[in-house]
Every structure is written in C-alpha cells, then in structure tokens.
C-alpha cells in the first residue's frame, strides 16, 4: 500500500511539473510585447538562450512588516483575499544607498493578503531620451532558474548583482523590471 501511495505521489508531481512547463511555454508564446519562450526548461528572450546560473538571495531579516496569517484564514476569507488580490498593491523601489555599478538592493512590497509569486528573471532598461531600451546582456548564454518564490512578509529586500548579466553599468538612468502575472513592476535608479 505504501509503495502504491508513493507511486501516485510521484505521478502527481510529474504531472504538475509538466503542466507548469506547458503553462510557461504558452504564456511566453502568447506574450506579444516581449519575445519570451520556454524551450527545454530554458527561458529565452529575443532568440537568445540564457545559460549562466544566476541567483539572488532575498534578505528577509530587515524592514519586515506583519507576517501574513494564511494558515488561520477560513476558506471564505481566503476566497475573498484571492478576489481582492491586485497588482496595484505591489511595488518595488531601490535603496538609494546601495546602488553601485554592479548591483543594488530593492525593496519589494506586496500589501495583498495573499502574496504574488516572483521568478528569478529580471531585466535592466536604460533611458535613451524619452524611451526605455532593453540593455543587451554581456553574454548570449544566461540561465534563469525556473523557480517561483514568495515572501510571508509584506516588505522585503531583494539584492541584485547585475554585473554577471550586464557587466558594470555606466552613468545614466536605469530601471530594474520584474514581471508578475504578465504585468511589470519597475524601480528607476540613477548611476552617477
């Protein structure tokens, strides 16, 4: 009996992984504003494969607000919180004192009762006159882990070392862009 339960559990996990990968592929394929797609577990943008493993630890020891208490939430309250969930309750800003040519720390705030999931992927845009332009990565091969994470905190630090992807940034106006549920949030910053 235990063997049968283990087998059923493994099959369910495999099915969930296949569904997750298929959904990512379909979302990427239908995204007309960007040319993302999921190919063999690798996210590609503008026909570039990203193959370098890049991770950014989250510092959840500073500036934390109240912990969400979803475990004690009734089904009715949970459904209400899902309906009220809005991208308008999510923001990102830079910690000015942390900006260097190689990286910075950003504060992600999610005031929803049920927080959004975030992936590893981000991009850096540079202002050129009145337009924002994608920065070209220094390598054509960077791997973005296909993971999603969330925080139990309303506000937390997100440390980014973009030097591995974009190199050291020169003087100018930039923004870090994160995608959440096919919508973007961004934080503008200046490197002097």
């Amino acid at each position: 009996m235990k063997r049968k339960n283990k087998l059923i559990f493994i099959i369910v996990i495999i099915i969930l992984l296949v569904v997750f990968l298929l959904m990512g592929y379909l979302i990427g394929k239908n995204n007309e504003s960007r040319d993302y797609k999921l190919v063999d577990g690798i996210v590609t943008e503008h026909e570039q494969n990203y193959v370098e493993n890049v991770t950014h630890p989250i510092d959840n020891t500073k500036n934390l607000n109240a912990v969400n208490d979803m475990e004690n939430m009734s089904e009715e309250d949970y459904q209400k919180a899902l309906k009220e969930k809005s991208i308008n309750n999510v923001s990102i800003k830079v910690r000015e004192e942390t900006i260097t040519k190689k990286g910075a720390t950003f504060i992600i705030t999610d005031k929803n009762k049920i927080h959004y999931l975030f992936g590893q992927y981000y991009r850096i845009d540079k202002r050129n006159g009145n337009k924002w332009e994608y920065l070209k990565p220094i390598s054509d091969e960077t791997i973005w882990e296909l993971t999603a994470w969330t925080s139990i905190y309303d506000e937390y630090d997100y440390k980014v070392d973009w030097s591995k992807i974009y190199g050291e940034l020169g003087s100018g106006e930039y923004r870090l862009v994160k995608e959440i549920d096919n919508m973007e949030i961004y934080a503008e910053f200046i490197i002097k």
Side-chain angles (χ1 to χ4, degrees):
M1 190 65 156
K2 288 182 182 181
R3 179 177 261 171
K4 186 176 180 181
N5 288 341
K6 284 182 182 179
L7 183 60
I8 291 171
F9 178 75
I10 291 171
I11 290 171
V12 168
I13 295 298
I14 291 171
I15 290 171
L16 289 173
L17 286 172
V18 169
V19 168
F20 176 77
L21 290 173
L22 183 59
M23 286 176 55
Y25 177 77
L26 293 174
I27 289 169
K29 197 157 183 90
N30 290 330
N31 188 343
E32 296 175 2
S33 63
R34 283 175 221 75
D35 190 16
Y36 301 126
K37 51 187 171 179
L38 186 64
V39 180
D40 296 329
I42 298 173
V43 174
T44 64
E45 177 185 5
H46 303 292
E47 299 180 5
Q48 295 180 5
N49 289 330
Y50 291 92
V51 257
E52 181 185 343
N53 188 3
V54 180
T55 60
H56 303 287
I58 299 169
D59 180 359
N60 59 6
T61 61
K62 300 181 197 170
N63 302 314
L64 303 177
N65 288 337
V67 174
N68 285 336
D69 194 8
M70 284 182 26
E71 290 178 9
N72 296 326
M73 195 181 289
S74 70
E75 181 64 27
E76 185 178 320
D77 289 340
Y78 181 80
Q79 292 302 323
K80 181 180 177 190
L82 273 179
K83 287 179 184 175
E84 294 172 350
K85 189 174 178 179
S86 171
I87 195 70
N88 295 327
N89 295 327
V90 182
S91 64
I92 185 170
K93 65 181 180 180
V94 68
R95 285 192 184 280
E96 295 289 335
E97 70 277 8
T98 67
I99 299 172
T100 70
K101 292 181 179 205
K102 293 183 175 187
T105 299
F106 296 83
I107 303 166
I108 297 178
T109 304
D110 187 344
K111 296 294 185 183
N112 292 293
K113 287 183 180 179
I114 300 173
H115 292 164
Y116 280 95
L117 294 174
F118 299 87
Q120 290 289 335
Y121 176 81
Y122 67 85
R123 76 167 194 272
I124 303 283
D125 296 342
K126 183 173 185 179
R127 185 183 293 277
N128 184 1
N130 292 329
K131 295 186 336 183
W132 289 102
E133 297 177 349
Y134 290 8
L135 278 187
K136 182 171 173 37
I138 56 176
S139 170
D140 289 340
E141 301 185 348
T142 303
I143 286 183
W144 293 95
E145 290 182 18
L146 294 178
T147 57
W149 43 264
T150 189
S151 175
I152 59 173
Y153 304 102
D154 290 345
E155 183 177 285
Y156 54 97
D157 288 353
Y158 175 59
K159 293 183 180 183
V160 177
D161 176 1
W162 54 67
S163 66
K164 296 174 184 173
I165 299 170
Y166 297 104
E168 289 190 14
L169 301 182
S171 298
E173 291 182 55
Y174 297 90
R175 68 181 182 183
L176 178 123
V177 181
K178 294 276 303 159
E179 187 173 305
I180 303 169
D181 275 5
N182 293 323
M183 300 187 72
E184 293 179 343
I185 60 171
Y186 55 87
E188 297 180 13
F189 58 96
I190 296 174
I191 295 183
K192 297 179 182 180

